[in-house]
């Protein structure tokens, strides 16, 4: 367990290649280490944004689950300088039986984290060393007291091979649902005030003027792919009170016209 984080990847490097960042990669991690990791191809996004909807081809990878971190080397002040993290993939856009996902995390002088490990090369399939540099964004507070909060919801129905997870941390919310081979992914962000012309032209924004793409309290839909219905918008729209731990939020699934039960598994205010 730890502090909720919003982590944005600055680059990935397959050794001995050069660092690059072809995606918009954001990982939301809760206090109890639930996480949702969404990686969207920037170039593909630009190609599809004028269509008003996006396809799965925009998604480089999307997965969710729970992580476990073990300190390997600590400083004199007790802070981990090097740690080892394992990410258990409960949902994975690439596989129903994903392989191991783990790496060593090196704390940088500016607070960023350099992740190092090995993975299969996307072209050769051979085990290859990699590096990823991560930067934590500010977790925004809301209300008069500027309280920060984290909410985690999960859905599971083994009879339909359905799993889903949604996490809201501060001003970000991401969700993944996988039902058989059908994948649905969403990313929302809190953006108070009017959007500038620059923001409207940015690759990060969908058609924000459409009602389904924003909430009355100025959350905007950055990305949605798939035909499933996630509770992201309802989570973002709630401005006061708590959902309640273990409470079930029901939302009709449009593709099969059946209910997907979303349960609150974590709710944290600080």
């Amino acid at each position: 367990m730890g502090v909720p984080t919003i982590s944005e990847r600055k680059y990935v490097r397959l050794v001995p290649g050069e660092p690059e960042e072809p995606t918009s990669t954001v990982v939301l991690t809760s206090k109890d280490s639930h996480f949702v990791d969404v990686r969207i191809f920037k170039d593909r996004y630009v190609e599809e944004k004028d269509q008003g909807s996006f396809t799965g081809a925009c998604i480089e990878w999307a997965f969710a689950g729970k992580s476990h971190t073990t300190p390997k080397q600590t400083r004199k002040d007790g802070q981990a300088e090097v740690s080892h993290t394992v990410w258990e993939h409960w949902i994975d856009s690439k596989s129903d039986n994903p392989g191991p996902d783990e790496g060593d995390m090196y704390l940088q002088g500016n607070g960023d984290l350099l992740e190092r490990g090995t993975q299969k090369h996307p072209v050769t399939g051979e085990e290859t060393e990699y590096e990823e540099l991560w930067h934590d964004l500010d977790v925004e507070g809301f209300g008069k007291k500027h309280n920060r909060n984290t909410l985690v919801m999960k859905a599971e129905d083994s009879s339909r091979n359905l799993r889903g997870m949604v996490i809201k941390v501060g001003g970000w919310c991401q969700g993944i649902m996988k039902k058989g081979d059908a994948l649905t992914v969403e990313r929302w962000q809190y953006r108070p005030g009017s959007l500038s012309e620059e923001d409207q032209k940015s690759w990060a924004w969908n058609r924000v003027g459409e009602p389904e793409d924003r909430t009355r309290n100025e959350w905007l839909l950055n990305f949605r792919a798939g035909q499933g219905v996630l509770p992201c918008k309802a989570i973002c729209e709630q401005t006061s009170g708590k959902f309640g731990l273990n409470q079930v939020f029901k939302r009709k699934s449009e593709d099969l016209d059946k209910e997907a039960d979303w349960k609150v598994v974590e709710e944290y205010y600080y």
Side-chain angles (χ1 to χ4, degrees):
M1 294 191 296
V3 177
T5 57
I6 306 165
S7 302
E8 184 177 41
R9 194 176 71 180
K10 287 187 170 181
Y11 70 73
V12 59
R13 175 178 177 246
L14 297 178
V15 180
E18 294 297 320
E20 60 177 350
E21 187 46 89
T23 72
S24 168
T25 294
V26 175
V27 185
L28 305 184
T29 305
S30 73
K31 178 177 180 291
D32 292 340
S33 300
H34 293 96
F35 71 87
V36 171
D37 186 325
V38 175
R39 309 178 179 198
I40 303 167
F41 284 119
K42 295 179 180 178
D43 289 347
R44 187 74 184 191
Y45 185 103
V46 171
E47 292 175 10
E48 296 189 6
K49 68 177 180 179
D50 292 332
Q51 300 175 10
S53 61
F54 298 96
T55 68
C58 279
I59 302 169
E60 191 271 333
W61 201 2
F63 52 97
K66 204 164 187 181
S67 62
H68 307 273
T69 299
T70 305
K72 292 183 64 175
Q73 181 178 324
T74 57
R75 304 187 311 201
K76 292 182 179 180
D77 61 5
Q79 186 173 0
E81 190 168 22
V82 181
S83 58
H84 185 77
T85 299
V86 178
W87 294 269
E88 296 179 354
H89 293 205
W90 188 62
I91 311 169
D92 191 305
S93 64
K94 294 183 178 181
S95 172
D96 290 333
N97 298 290
D101 183 6
E102 55 187 297
D104 290 330
M105 314 297 286
Y106 296 81
L107 183 64
Q108 305 298 290
N110 63 353
D112 289 349
L113 283 173
L114 180 65
E115 177 187 343
R116 289 176 174 165
T118 60
Q119 65 179 39
K120 286 187 178 181
H121 195 282
V123 177
T124 66
E126 298 179 353
E127 284 295 312
T128 305
E129 293 183 7
Y130 75 87
E131 294 181 349
E132 291 178 307
L133 186 64
W134 299 93
H135 172 74
D136 283 350
L137 305 178
D138 291 337
V139 178
E140 197 160 7
F142 295 87
K144 294 180 179 179
K145 296 183 178 180
H146 296 284
N147 291 327
R148 293 175 290 179
N149 67 83
T150 300
L151 183 75
V152 183
M153 282 189 178
K154 293 175 70 175
E156 184 172 18
D157 185 343
S158 57
S159 67
R160 292 189 287 150
N161 195 21
L162 181 151
R163 285 183 174 182
M165 184 182 294
V166 170
I167 296 182
K168 174 182 174 291
V169 178
W172 290 77
C173 183
Q174 295 190 148
I176 303 171
M177 183 171 70
K178 190 175 182 181
K179 181 174 59 189
D181 294 330
L183 181 72
T184 301
V185 176
E186 290 186 11
R187 176 187 287 172
W188 293 73
Q189 189 179 2
Y190 178 64
R191 289 296 295 255
S194 300
L195 290 173
S196 67
E197 290 185 4
E198 181 180 353
D199 281 334
Q200 293 180 34
K201 294 176 181 178
S202 168
W203 76 270
W205 302 108
N206 192 3
R207 295 170 133 181
V208 297
E210 298 178 3
E212 64 268 25
D213 293 345
R214 68 184 308 153
T215 69
R216 61 182 183 275
N217 52 341
E218 299 182 297
W219 283 79
L220 303 178
L221 177 65
N222 288 2
F223 178 82
R224 177 194 287 140
Q227 299 302 311
V229 178
L230 305 180
C232 296
K233 185 176 182 179
I235 291 171
C236 296
E237 283 180 331
Q238 181 155 323
T239 57
S240 63
K242 296 183 179 180
F243 279 89
L245 192 63
N246 296 320
Q247 292 298 307
V248 174
F249 172 81
K250 291 187 177 181
R251 181 69 175 266
K252 185 168 289 187
S253 181
E254 293 177 340
D255 49 347
L256 290 180
D257 197 34
K258 294 183 179 179
E259 296 290 328
D261 292 344
W262 290 85
K263 184 178 181 180
V264 178
V265 298
E266 184 183 346
E267 192 170 19
Y268 176 57
Y269 291 79
Y270 61 111

